[in-house]
């Protein structure tokens, strides 16, 4: 069972940045946000969890955007930096970065305000068996990468 192979964790990070959204070709007013980024992740039970390493990887990635105008920071100089577009990009990057170190990203929630969040999930509540198969496949891929790295 999946429960036996993994332990689940939740991490939060904060991104302070400004941006404006372009709607119908017209740029809106530039405004700041403190975005709360919450990552739900899995780690195999056999491994010792070094929380500081995960936090450093997340912070290192976020630092590129910290205290910046997103509209002037790639890829958002070309992509409208909506909450959804930023979150989709960050989720993809976090998956790449963290999976290389044996973490599986289940879900990411990005809150633009305390009352407004965008959620991206690898977990499908409607079909638990499909979710378990998908997570097992991701886990096998992550473990394979770890083993390859140890061999090299």
């Amino acid at each position: 069972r999946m429960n036996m192979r993994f332990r689940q964790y939740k991490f939060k990070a904060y991104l302070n940045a400004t941006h404006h959204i372009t709607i119908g070709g017209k740029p809106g007013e530039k405004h700041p946000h403190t975005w709360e980024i919450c990552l739900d992740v899995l780690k195999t039970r056999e491994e010792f969890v070094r929380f500081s390493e995960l936090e450093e990887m997340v912070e290192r990635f976020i630092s590129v955007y910290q205290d910046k105008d997103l509209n002037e920071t790639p890829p958002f100089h070309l992509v409208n930096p909506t909450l959804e577009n930023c979150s989709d990009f960050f989720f993809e990057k976090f998956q790449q970065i963290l999976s290389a170190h044996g973490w599986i990203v289940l879900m990411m929630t990005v809150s633009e305000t305390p009352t407004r969040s965008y959620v991206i999930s690898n977990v499908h509540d409607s079909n638990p068996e499909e979710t378990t198969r998908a997570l097992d496949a991701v886990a096998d891929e992550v473990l394979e990468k770890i083993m390859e790295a140890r061999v090299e």
Side-chain angles (χ1 to χ4, degrees):
R1 289 184 39 91
M2 183 181 71
N3 212 9
M4 302 299 275
R5 292 175 67 184
F6 302 103
R7 290 187 173 137
Q8 185 171 344
Y9 301 92
K10 183 182 295 268
F11 290 92
K12 290 183 182 179
Y14 295 88
L15 171 62
N16 296 299
T18 60
H19 71 149
H20 70 268
I21 306 300
T22 302
I23 300 171
K26 293 181 70 175
E29 188 174 323
K30 185 164 117 174
H31 58 281
H33 284 291
T34 297
W35 287 355
E36 180 181 75
I37 301 169
C38 184
L39 292 164
D40 289 282
V41 295
L42 292 179
K43 187 73 165 170
T44 59
R45 282 174 116 23
E46 293 78 35
E47 292 186 56
F48 176 74
V49 174
R50 297 181 190 276
F51 297 110
S52 60
E53 288 179 4
L54 180 126
E55 291 164 346
E56 287 169 13
M57 288 184 283
V58 169
E59 290 298 329
R60 194 173 316 122
F61 172 76
I62 289 176
S63 71
V64 172
Y65 305 95
Q66 198 67 262
D67 301 316
K68 300 279 179 20
D69 180 342
L70 295 179
N71 298 85
E72 298 173 4
T73 310
F76 306 112
H77 66 302
L78 301 174
V79 176
N80 203 11
T82 62
L83 172 64
E84 296 80 5
N85 288 343
C86 291
S87 298
D88 289 343
F89 175 74
F90 293 162
F91 186 73
E92 183 179 310
K93 292 299 182 183
F94 283 134
Q95 282 190 296
Q96 290 171 2
I97 293 165
L98 298 179
S99 71
H101 297 275
W103 291 93
I104 298 169
V105 180
L106 293 179
M107 184 166 57
M108 184 178 81
T109 304
V110 180
S111 300
E112 189 173 55
T113 71
T115 60
R116 197 167 45 231
S117 301
Y118 179 63
V119 178
I120 303 170
S121 177
N122 280 328
V123 180
H124 308 286
D125 291 332
S126 61
N127 190 339
E129 287 178 20
E130 180 183 319
T131 298
T132 300
R133 277 195 302 276
L135 290 174
D136 281 342
V138 171
D140 290 342
E141 184 180 321
V142 167
L143 292 172
E144 189 175 307
K145 285 181 185 177
I146 291 169
M147 295 311 290
E148 286 173 6
R150 289 181 180 163
V151 171
E152 291 175 2

